[in-house]
Amino acid sequence: MLAIRKATDSLEEEELRAYLRLILVQIERMKEEGAAPNTAITGLIELYDGLIALPDKKRIVWDPAPACTHVHIVIGDSFAGSMKQALKGLGWEEAHKLIVLRENYAIGPLADLDSPAGRTARSEWFGDNIMNGLEAYSTYEDEYMVLLGKLEQIPEQAELVVWTTRNACEQAGMRYALHLLRHKPNPLSVYDACAICEALYNRPDAITRYRHSGELPPSKLQAALVRMDGSGRLSGTDIAKLIEEWRAIAEQTGTLRIWRDGAVIGVPADYYDSYLLDKLDRLKPPAGDRGFLRSARLIGEALGYCEQYVGDEYFEYRLRTLIYNGVLEIKGVPAAMRFYSVRRKR
């Protein structure tokens, strides 16, 4: 499933449509051939093999055009998808290139990510605590090397633009990006697309507050892009300060971080446990289900009302911890949040 997700995430919208059409054609052939769908099955397997092999080539080879003027660095796949569409909509896709830091830097250990030991420790924590974390981080070392290769290939004339907003994931990620870019001579700016869009579109009777940049639609993101006016340009002193802040964040021994008073701070792993239990107590379970509530509904409620951006995977990890500690009872199998329900232990 991880390979399939990576394969499809790397494709443009029109490419996805083309693959879907080919799959439907093969299925139609299977229906027509009845009991002997050998040709169609062979075609589907070839399509699958080609699709799975494609992303590695796309990820490894990143060759900015000589006319590249900007390289945008974003945190998270969701924001990356919107940024791709926004750049394409503006007709900027040739001159403006994109690098994605895909991780959630609000959770997990961050110490010594420049070393194999530090990256292994982070990978093992996700494998031990986060659903599908072992699969997601099985290629962690390879992806890190690919990321370094992309950063190395940034043209000297390109302006670097790092995007962030008011959450621990993107703020820590932005500082980590500056750490990785510390030897690049390129001019560097930092912008907050969420803040720009809130200033543009919020009215007294209609206020939207974005918790992470992935919530922005491409149409609004375009408005933020055209307003890059140089105000986000960082001096050498600014960059050095933010890199030092990254080192301080990485030295924190905890595995959960929040954004408070303009800083990324570490909090205990059980910081949201009482919040989850309060949500559970307030929600009404379905009638006849003996007081059990679907974990997916509980986590969805917690995500919807949490002022911080943490991610559903961390809430699900803490929910399982509450089960292991005897605070909650479980009905079902915790293979994924949709497969089990919880209630207070009686």
Side-chain angles (χ1 to χ4, degrees):
M1 290 303 297
L2 177 64
I4 292 171
R5 180 176 66 81
K6 288 181 178 177
T8 54
D9 284 351
S10 71
L11 297 176
E12 300 292 340
E13 187 175 347
E14 187 53 42
E15 292 176 309
L16 285 170
R17 288 198 186 98
Y19 272 101
L20 178 58
R21 284 193 290 268
L22 288 171
I23 291 169
L24 293 176
V25 167
Q26 298 291 355
I27 292 173
E28 180 63 25
R29 288 177 181 173
M30 290 176 67
K31 291 176 65 178
E32 291 175 353
E33 294 180 13
N38 296 332
T39 302
I41 289 176
T42 301
L44 284 170
I45 291 173
E46 290 176 353
L47 187 63
Y48 172 86
D49 289 342
L51 179 59
I52 294 302
L54 182 63
D56 286 337
K57 297 174 184 176
K58 282 191 172 183
R59 287 198 304 272
I60 293 172
V61 180
W62 186 75
D63 186 15
C68 173
T69 60
H70 294 74
V71 174
H72 299 268
I73 299 172
V74 302
I75 318 299
D77 287 330
S78 177
F79 187 30
S82 295
M83 181 64 77
K84 285 181 182 178
Q85 292 299 314
L87 292 173
K88 187 176 181 180
L90 290 169
W92 290 4
E93 63 267 32
E94 290 302 317
H96 291 244
K97 299 301 179 181
L98 187 65
I99 294 179
V100 187
L101 274 63
R102 305 181 67 187
E103 297 182 56
N104 183 352
Y105 297 99
I107 65 176
L110 294 175
D112 300 320
L113 292 189
D114 290 336
S115 72
R119 296 190 294 273
T120 298
R122 180 167 173 82
S123 179
E124 289 178 348
W125 183 88
F126 275 84
D128 291 341
N129 296 288
I130 301 300
M131 193 70 67
N132 299 323
L134 186 60
E135 289 184 11
Y137 277 75
S138 61
T139 58
Y140 185 52
E141 191 67 16
D142 291 340
E143 291 198 3
Y144 175 77
M145 293 303 171
V146 170
L147 172 63
L148 292 186
K150 291 179 178 180
L151 296 175
E152 183 63 29
Q153 293 182 67
I154 293 173
E156 291 185 1
Q157 80 277 3
E159 180 174 348
L160 303 178
V161 183
V162 185
W163 295 87
T164 190
T165 194
R166 302 157 303 225
N167 62 62
C169 171
E170 293 182 74
Q171 289 288 339
M174 176 267 289
R175 287 161 173 80
Y176 181 45
L178 298 188
H179 168 77
L180 293 174
L181 294 164
R182 62 191 181 278
H183 299 307
K184 303 295 289 185
N186 306 61
L188 194 151
S189 299
V190 172
Y191 288 98
D192 183 340
C194 295
I196 294 172
C197 291
E198 287 170 5
L200 284 173
Y201 297 106
N202 281 354
R203 306 188 309 271
D205 60 334
I207 295 176
T208 300
R209 180 176 172 81
Y210 299 99
R211 286 174 296 179
H212 65 98
S213 299
E215 295 178 345
L216 288 169
S219 58
K220 289 188 176 181
L221 188 52
Q222 288 180 15
L225 284 164
V226 299
R227 282 168 176 78
M228 293 188 302
D229 55 3
S231 61
R233 181 70 57 85
L234 298 183
S235 67
T237 302
D238 296 330
I239 295 171
K241 178 176 181 294
L242 289 166
I243 291 174
E244 189 59 37
E245 288 176 7
W246 161 253
R247 291 172 180 152
I249 293 168
E251 288 174 0
Q252 297 172 1
T253 58
T255 55
L256 177 63
R257 295 157 210 95
I258 63 172
W259 177 248
R260 179 185 292 166
D261 297 329
V264 176
I265 63 171
V267 294
D270 63 357
Y271 182 80
Y272 285 109
D273 287 9
S274 59
Y275 171 73
L276 282 169
L277 292 171
D278 180 65
K279 291 297 179 188
L280 177 62
D281 293 339
R282 291 172 181 268
L283 292 171
K284 186 176 180 181
D289 213 7
R290 296 181 295 144
F292 282 98
L293 183 74
R294 283 282 182 185
S295 62
R297 185 185 173 199
L298 173 58
I299 292 169
E301 185 82 3
L303 279 173
Y305 287 94
C306 186
E307 293 184 356
Q308 300 280 336
Y309 172 67
V310 180
D312 59 344
E313 66 270 21
Y314 192 84
F315 283 137
E316 204 276 334
Y317 151 57
R318 294 312 306 174
L319 199 60
R320 281 185 284 109
T321 302
L322 290 169
I323 295 168
Y324 301 151
N325 292 342
V327 178
L328 298 178
E329 292 180 314
I330 182 173
K331 184 182 75 169
V333 180
M337 67 180 74
R338 66 184 184 276
F339 293 138
Y340 68 98
S341 302
V342 295
R343 72 181 182 190
R344 287 271 193 174
K345 188 167 185 178
R346 297 179 178 176

